[in-house]
Amino acid sequence: MERKQIKIGLMGLGTVGGGVWQLLQMNRESIAAKTGLDFEIAKVAVRDLGRKRAVPAERLTDRPEDLYEDPEIQVIVGVLGRPDEGRHLLAAMNAGKHVVTANKAAVAADYEALREAAERNKVLFRYEASVAGGIPILHAIEQSLQGNEYQELMGILNGTTNYILTHMTEEGADYADVLKKAQELGFAEPDPTADVEGIDAANKLSILLSLVFGARVLPKDIPTEGISRISGADIAAAKEQGCKIKLIARAAKTDKGLEYSVRPTLLPKEHPLAGVNNEFNAVFLKGNAVDELMFYGRGAGALPTASAVWGDLIEVGKEIAKGAAYDLVVAGGPAEA
Amino acid sequence: MERKQIKIGLMGLGTVGGGVWQLLQMNRESIAAKTGLDFEIAKVAVRDLGRKRAVPAERLTDRPEDLYEDPEIQVIVGVLGRPDEGRHLLAAMNAGKHVVTANKAAVAADYEALREAAERNKVLFRYEASVAGGIPILHAIEQSLQGNEYQELMGILNGTTNYILTHMTEEGADYADVLKKAQELGFAEPDPTADVEGIDAANKLSILLSLVFGARVLPKDIPTEGISRISGADIAAAKEQGCKIKLIARAAKTDKGLEYSVRPTLLPKEHPLAGVNNEFNAVFLKGNAVDELMFYGRGAGALPTASAVWGDLIEVGKEIAKGAAYDLVVAGGPAEA
């Protein structure tokens, strides 16, 4: 079988972008053997052209526009991680490119505009990596679980806060001490606000609210409380009740309508989410047919997030390959089997 | 938007077939609102026409052939659960019908023949419900996770044995006593052999070996040991080592090649699978990009299994709807947007 070439423009070469590059070096052959698709990362947009990188210099540019203005590039991967990334994703769609992104803030902020632009331009828009990193939750909701109506969703959606709470629980240590250690180990950012105040989790919950409950709620409208005021004494008191404290993003249908929040929550030790420790993430769902489900895995990190990006990229590649056969049929040429 | 009608032939009205019927009664409106597809279960094949059932009598037949010989029916759902079901699934494909099934024994036994017949007849063949019931694992492997190469797979794939082991562990009870109680509660069959001897788990592992490692291994060629010789003393000894005994279906790449087995296994209490109790199932995967992942949920039961069948059915329905637009284009008529 002749292999179909798919050319990618990679917008951003930070942690996730580096993982997207690295995964292709690792698994290019096995992906091609499984799918018949030969992917190439043709151009990479970075901020600083002067830094040494794994990517050959001739593929680098400091203008994101160069990616979506290139007629050979078919898919743009948006992993700049900047809040204004949505602008570039929209421009890429308007230039006829399919878009895959891991940027939860951009997806949560510009959801309608991005969906609308994808539809108008007849391009694919996929964002599995924007929620819970490597855990394939969005796709499962959109496909395998679509026969359900949902009653409840609970997620541990932020690895930094789960790491901190786990170590506070295991070591009986206080918040400030564990945060400092987490920062030294690279599990928390120098400015940890977006993580520890629940903002990152609220962005992800906003995306899940759209998909699971069909409800459009902006992150700023989700009641959000972080973990920075949790003390060692709170954790000890929880333990005495046979509970653990976790930062839970929750949505549930109640008599009063759909309720949602991000807040520190007491979970009985038997709850499936109570065993989710350290930097791991998990999503717990309750549907009216499937009942209880939980997905567990790495919610961040270069390669786990790249795994989700590549799942999307390969699906886009398959559609491009199908579309080529389809165009051939419409043009009156011979159809591929 | 006009709703596209999809007509289903339901082959079997046992536990799973009843769930497939019931889910449509529960969620028909929400499915139609989400997808634009209006599903109808037009005909149902049963063994005994004399029994009272929820399905109107005029839709019942005792000839499975009536379903796939009906020109109006587009999809056959195979949930007879009988070992010879593969024969009917093949006949349905040869009659041009898409096929969705939950019958793991038929899929494991006739995998190549079914895949080949689907390809030859250009019909869809989906079987998410055949492994781990409501847990959407097959689809995740085929799509979201397809950028990975896998190192290891471990599954708790049989609810009956996990229920028995959980109660032996919690109550310090012996195998025979717990089995008897499980049979009284309906968690174990009157003849429990296929479950307790690991045969059911081996069928499911055979399907997972194909998808995860691209290896075709018949269930009879998987080294398989059940739980019927586990004693209360074994469980107590495991506990003293900080471990639990679970019936684990495992496959792993080693220096000696791909190894696989179904057998009672000591798991450290901290392992994500150790917390999977009672009739719940789980699949634990390790990929070279995504690292550790676990999917947890109900591996059996009418509605959880029906959730997986309906996930497949709705995807098939979407393809039928797309195909109609495609045929229109080929015939020279106006294309739908």
Side-chain angles (χ1 to χ4, degrees):
Chain A
M1 178 171 63
E2 207 194 327
R3 286 180 179 174
K4 168 93 188 153
Q5 272 240 335
I6 307 285
K7 289 199 189 236
I8 296 168
L10 178 59
M11 207 159 70
L13 198 61
T15 303
V16 178
V20 170
W21 175 267
Q22 192 191 341
L23 193 150
L24 188 61
Q25 313 311 307
M26 287 161 53
N27 296 352
R28 184 175 194 160
E29 259 317 300
S30 62
I31 291 170
K34 265 191 283 194
T35 63
L37 301 172
D38 186 26
F39 287 92
E40 188 195 340
I41 297 178
K43 256 184 208 164
V44 182
V46 296
R47 195 183 302 222
D48 174 7
L49 283 172
R51 271 179 55 193
K52 272 228 155 186
R53 301 176 190 271
V55 178
E58 67 272 17
R59 299 202 198 173
L60 295 175
T61 171
D62 57 2
R63 293 183 64 246
E65 295 80 0
D66 284 351
L67 272 47
Y68 47 86
E69 287 167 1
D70 183 331
E72 295 221 320
I73 285 176
Q74 296 148 298
V75 200
I76 299 293
V77 176
V79 288
L80 288 175
R82 299 202 309 246
D84 72 337
E85 185 156 6
R87 174 171 73 81
H88 288 297
L89 301 180
L90 287 167
M93 290 178 186
N94 289 334
K97 310 300 183 192
H98 304 290
V99 165
V100 172
T101 186
N103 187 331
K104 61 226 154 216
V107 175
D110 297 325
Y111 191 71
E112 294 88 353
L114 288 163
R115 294 283 290 236
E116 186 273 322
E119 208 163 302
R120 182 164 36 79
N121 292 296
K122 301 199 196 330
V123 295
L124 297 164
F125 168 47
R126 298 178 65 116
Y127 45 95
E128 178 68 67
S130 69
V131 177
I135 306 174
I137 176 75
L138 301 190
H139 214 62
I141 292 166
E142 285 192 311
Q143 297 203 344
S144 313
L145 302 171
Q146 63 193 328
N148 286 272
E149 295 173 13
Y150 294 98
Q151 285 122 26
E152 189 180 18
L153 160 86
M154 289 169 79
I156 294 177
L157 300 178
N158 180 272
T160 302
T161 46
N162 203 44
Y163 178 93
I164 292 172
L165 290 172
T166 300
H167 283 258
M168 287 175 71
T169 304
E170 284 174 1
E171 297 155 21
D174 261 325
Y175 170 77
D177 299 331
V178 179
L179 172 62
K180 208 177 141 211
K181 202 176 116 192
Q183 285 172 320
E184 286 164 10
L185 291 169
F187 284 117
E189 302 280 338
D191 175 1
T193 313
D195 291 320
V196 301
E197 298 306 343
I199 299 162
D200 174 75
N203 275 324
K204 293 163 177 168
L205 182 59
S206 165
I207 299 172
L208 285 170
L209 279 162
S210 296
L211 284 176
V212 176
F213 295 102
R216 181 67 177 119
V217 184
L218 287 173
K220 69 175 175 54
D221 296 326
I222 296 173
T224 299
E225 185 187 331
I227 65 161
S228 58
R229 280 175 299 181
I230 304 286
S231 67
D234 294 330
I235 297 219
K239 220 182 237 177
E240 264 180 42
Q241 297 174 53
C243 289
K244 281 190 182 179
I245 296 180
K246 295 284 184 189
L247 183 66
I248 298 292
R250 180 171 183 267
K253 274 193 192 150
T254 72
D255 297 342
K256 290 174 272 175
L258 185 62
E259 295 189 343
Y260 39 83
S261 62
V262 173
R263 64 169 54 106
T265 303
L266 277 184
L267 289 183
K269 261 192 290 195
E270 297 72 32
H271 194 286
L273 287 174
V276 177
N277 290 321
N278 291 308
E279 73 275 23
F280 280 89
N281 282 21
V283 178
F284 175 88
L285 271 175
K286 199 167 174 180
N288 73 343
V290 75
D291 197 44
E292 294 185 2
L293 267 186
M294 187 176 77
F295 299 76
Y296 163 99
R298 291 194 180 271
L303 283 172
T305 309
S307 164
V309 169
W310 274 102
D312 281 349
L313 273 172
I314 297 170
E315 284 305 295
V316 169
K318 287 179 182 170
E319 290 299 316
I320 292 173
K322 265 194 231 167
Y326 177 84
D327 289 344
L328 218 56
V329 170
V330 177
E336 284 181 41
Chain B
M1 179 171 63
E2 208 196 325
R3 287 182 177 172
K4 168 93 187 153
Q5 273 238 335
I6 308 284
K7 289 200 190 235
I8 296 168
L10 178 58
M11 206 159 70
L13 198 62
T15 303
V16 178
V20 171
W21 175 268
Q22 191 191 342
L23 192 150
L24 188 62
Q25 314 310 306
M26 288 160 53
N27 295 353
R28 184 176 193 158
E29 259 317 301
S30 62
I31 291 170
K34 264 190 283 193
T35 63
L37 301 172
D38 187 25
F39 286 93
E40 189 196 339
I41 297 177
K43 257 183 207 163
V44 182
V46 296
R47 194 184 302 222
D48 174 6
L49 283 172
R51 272 178 55 194
K52 273 226 154 187
R53 301 177 190 270
V55 178
E58 67 273 17
R59 298 202 199 174
L60 295 175
T61 171
D62 57 2
R63 294 184 64 247
E65 295 80 0
D66 284 351
L67 272 47
Y68 48 84
E69 287 167 2
D70 184 331
E72 294 221 321
I73 286 176
Q74 296 149 296
V75 200
I76 298 293
V77 176
V79 288
L80 289 174
R82 298 200 312 244
D84 72 338
E85 185 157 6
R87 173 172 73 83
H88 288 296
L89 302 181
L90 287 167
M93 290 179 186
N94 289 333
K97 310 300 183 192
H98 305 289
V99 165
V100 172
T101 186
N103 187 332
K104 63 225 150 216
V107 175
D110 297 324
Y111 191 72
E112 294 89 352
L114 289 162
R115 294 284 290 237
E116 186 274 322
E119 208 162 301
R120 182 165 34 82
N121 292 295
K122 300 200 197 329
V123 295
L124 297 164
F125 168 48
R126 297 177 65 114
Y127 45 95
E128 178 67 68
S130 68
V131 177
I135 306 175
I137 175 76
L138 301 191
H139 214 61
I141 292 166
E142 286 192 310
Q143 298 203 343
S144 312
L145 302 171
Q146 62 193 327
N148 286 272
E149 295 173 13
Y150 294 99
Q151 286 122 25
E152 189 181 18
L153 160 86
M154 288 170 78
I156 294 176
L157 300 177
N158 179 272
T160 301
T161 46
N162 203 42
Y163 178 92
I164 293 172
L165 291 172
T166 300
H167 283 258
M168 287 176 72
T169 304
E170 285 174 0
E171 296 155 23
D174 261 325
Y175 171 75
D177 299 333
V178 179
L179 172 62
K180 208 177 142 211
K181 203 177 116 191
Q183 285 172 320
E184 285 164 12
L185 291 169
F187 284 116
E189 303 281 339
D191 175 1
T193 312
D195 291 320
V196 301
E197 298 306 344
I199 299 161
D200 174 74
N203 275 323
K204 293 163 177 169
L205 182 59
S206 164
I207 299 172
L208 286 170
L209 279 164
S210 295
L211 285 176
V212 176
F213 295 102
R216 181 69 177 117
V217 185
L218 288 173
K220 70 174 176 53
D221 296 326
I222 296 174
T224 299
E225 184 188 331
I227 64 162
S228 59
R229 280 175 298 181
I230 304 285
S231 67
D234 294 330
I235 299 223
K239 220 183 241 178
E240 264 179 46
Q241 298 174 52
C243 289
K244 282 189 181 179
I245 296 180
K246 295 285 184 188
L247 183 66
I248 298 292
R250 179 171 183 269
K253 274 192 192 151
T254 72
D255 296 343
K256 288 174 273 175
L258 186 63
E259 295 188 343
Y260 39 82
S261 62
V262 173
R263 64 168 54 108
T265 303
L266 277 185
L267 289 183
K269 262 193 288 194
E270 297 72 33
H271 194 285
L273 287 173
V276 176
N277 289 321
N278 290 308
E279 73 275 24
F280 280 89
N281 283 21
V283 178
F284 175 89
L285 271 175
K286 197 162 177 187
N288 74 342
V290 75
D291 197 42
E292 294 186 1
L293 267 185
M294 188 177 76
F295 299 77
Y296 164 100
R298 292 195 179 271
L303 283 172
T305 310
S307 163
V309 169
W310 274 102
D312 281 349
L313 274 172
I314 298 169
E315 284 305 294
V316 169
K318 287 179 181 170
E319 289 298 317
I320 292 173
K322 264 195 232 166
Y326 177 85
D327 289 344
L328 218 55
V329 170
V330 177
E336 283 179 41

